[in-house]
Amino acid sequence: MAATNLIGTAVVEVEHKLPLPFDESQESFELIAQGAESLLYRTTFSATGQPAALKVRPEKKWRHPTLDKRLTRARILAEARVLVKLSGEGIVASGSGNSGKRAKVKQPREGDHDVAGLKGFVPAVLALDWESGWMMTEWIEGRTVKKAVYDTKTDRNGDNTTEATEALKSLLACIGEVIGILHASGVIHGDLTTSNMMLRAQPSTPESIASPTSSLAGDIVLIDFGLSSQSVSEEDRAVDLYVLERAFGSTHPREEYLFPEVLKTYAESTRSGMHGKTGKLVLRKLEDVRMRGRKKSMLG
Ligand SMILES: Nc1ncnc2c1ncn2[C@@H]1O[C@H](COP(=O)(O)OP(=O)(O)OP(=O)(O)O)[C@@H](O)[C@H]1O
Ligand SMILES: [Mg+2]
């Protein structure tokens, strides 16, 4: 839609039309984030009334329509497949009568799946339609890890306070554990950054409000699995960690020196599925991956 502003120049208003069956006149859709490929809204899942995150992948007019449809479908399916696998849910085609392109999630029965222990560490899928390009998941109350790290307390010199450093260390340790569990389940995230992790808010108590480190308390929830894949290769696991290491260093340069906490827990914590020999092999591979990264940047 084009309009004109006060000085008469044309202003292009970007129109975010929601795909069917969503209707903005019936429910509220709050735009939370707008990435290159997708729009993220906070809304309500009509079947249960619970808060939900709706991820819409609109058509890209600049891409060939057949290719665009194929890519959208692949991203939505990659994301949903992994989330369903990790949260141990089943997925069934709804009665839409159109070859199951729209699906809703059924609750798991015991023994249905090899539940990997990540239930609660990823959002549950509520519904999706890969032809229209959307997926709805459980809403995670809280902040992204990026925001949580930005919000940590610093002293007058701009350094993290001692309490904040300790809290950051345990946050990074939790991240290492969760990635370990993820990798042990045979999944590679593909885009690990602090924006693709959330810190699930904990109900506040009078003690937690008084505590200087309470702001970093809570469970880690991994989101944004659109680039995920299934692999148990040490190389793929090392690359996944390397992507996070690089992203963490550039997003949080002041906290970069604490990143080894992630790797330490990844390979040592007994809760992480990667503790022991395999974890050590992945860290050794990570050194090769870093070396290749350095050579590549030297060659430009
Ligand atoms: N389930 C959720 N609950 C609460 N907030 C969410 C949820 N999923 C996403 N968000 C918020 O929306 C932002 C964007 O989501 P996401 O990372 O999935 O999309 P994206 O980066 O645009 O995706 P893609 O890279 O696949 O195109 C997140 O950084 C987070 O702030
Ligand atoms: Mg993202």
Side-chain angles (χ1 to χ4, degrees), residues 41 46 84 102 104 123 160 164 211 213 227 231 236 253 256 274:
Y41 297 89
S46 54
V84 167
R102 189 175 295 167
K104 63 183 178 200
N160 291 125
S211 153
T213 54
L227 295 175
S231 162
D236 292 343
E256 188 178 13
M274 300 305 293

Side-chain angles (χ1 to χ4, degrees), residues 33 35 37-38 40 53 55 57 137-140 144 195-196 198 223-224:
E37 301 265 318
S38 65
L40 200 295
K55 192 166 184 172
R57 294 184 177 275
T137 62
E138 159 202 6
W139 180 258
I140 307 296
T144 60
S195 311
N196 288 339
M198 298 199 57
I223 58 167
D224 200 357

Side-chain angles (χ1 to χ4, degrees), residues 10-149:
V11 176
V12 178
E13 287 171 20
V14 184
E15 206 178 299
H16 300 308
K17 214 167 161 293
L18 287 167
L20 286 169
F22 302 107
D23 181 353
E24 274 170 284
S25 66
Q26 299 295 313
E27 270 155 311
S28 97
F29 294 88
E30 186 191 345
L31 184 63
I32 301 292
Q34 182 170 3
E37 301 265 318
S38 65
L39 301 161
L40 200 295
Y41 297 89
R42 183 192 162 116
T43 185
T44 309
F45 182 38
S46 54
T48 60
Q50 73 191 97
L54 174 68
K55 192 166 184 172
V56 178
R57 294 184 177 275
E59 207 183 321
K60 315 284 170 314
K61 300 272 189 238
W62 41 267
R63 213 146 57 189
H64 186 280
T66 315
L67 175 68
D68 185 48
K69 268 224 158 341
R70 208 182 295 154
L71 280 175
T72 300
R73 185 190 312 182
R75 293 264 162 83
I76 290 185
L77 282 177
E79 183 153 26
R81 205 175 274 137
V82 160
L83 291 179
V84 167
K85 172 185 158 120
L86 295 176
S87 53
E89 291 157 324
I91 200 147
V92 285
S94 76
S96 55
N98 44 17
S99 67
K101 71 179 167 68
R102 189 175 295 167
K104 63 183 178 200
V105 175
K106 75 176 167 67
Q107 291 308 309
R109 280 174 312 181
E110 223 171 310
D112 246 5
H113 289 267
D114 177 20
V115 180
L118 268 161
K119 201 170 168 62
F121 293 109
V122 294
V125 181
L126 301 172
L128 69 144
D129 184 338
W130 57 83
E131 292 298 334
S132 311
W134 60 264
M135 179 181 72
M136 196 182 260
T137 62
E138 159 202 6
W139 180 258
I140 307 296
E141 217 51 75
R143 294 167 292 171
T144 60
V145 168
K146 176 177 173 178
K147 172 100 180 32
V149 175

Side-chain angles (χ1 to χ4, degrees), residues 94-250:
S94 76
S96 55
N98 44 17
S99 67
K101 71 179 167 68
R102 189 175 295 167
K104 63 183 178 200
V105 175
K106 75 176 167 67
Q107 291 308 309
R109 280 174 312 181
E110 223 171 310
D112 246 5
H113 289 267
D114 177 20
V115 180
L118 268 161
K119 201 170 168 62
F121 293 109
V122 294
V125 181
L126 301 172
L128 69 144
D129 184 338
W130 57 83
E131 292 298 334
S132 311
W134 60 264
M135 179 181 72
M136 196 182 260
T137 62
E138 159 202 6
W139 180 258
I140 307 296
E141 217 51 75
R143 294 167 292 171
T144 60
V145 168
K146 176 177 173 178
K147 172 100 180 32
V149 175
Y150 280 170
D151 290 348
T152 49
K153 290 200 174 62
T154 51
D155 62 19
R156 260 186 267 142
N157 301 322
D159 296 325
N160 291 125
T161 60
T162 318
E163 292 97 318
T165 305
E166 286 313 307
L168 276 166
K169 276 189 179 168
S170 51
L171 177 75
L172 293 172
C174 288
I175 293 174
E177 251 174 15
V178 172
I179 301 174
I181 302 172
L182 177 77
H183 284 179
S185 323
V187 174
I188 302 297
H189 184 281
D191 191 16
L192 285 174
T193 63
T194 49
S195 311
N196 288 339
M197 293 172 192
M198 298 199 57
L199 190 58
R200 200 192 280 269
Q202 284 189 327
S204 49
T205 59
E207 301 82 61
S208 73
I209 293 166
S211 153
T213 54
S214 67
S215 62
L216 289 181
D219 290 326
I220 296 290
V221 181
L222 300 176
I223 58 167
D224 200 357
F225 282 81
L227 295 175
S228 66
S229 55
Q230 311 220 16
S231 162
V232 290
S233 117
E234 278 129 27
E235 167 86 16
D236 292 343
R237 288 167 168 170
V239 171
D240 221 19
L241 291 173
Y242 182 66
V243 168
L244 179 62
E245 185 173 73
R246 293 299 299 260
F248 190 85
S250 56

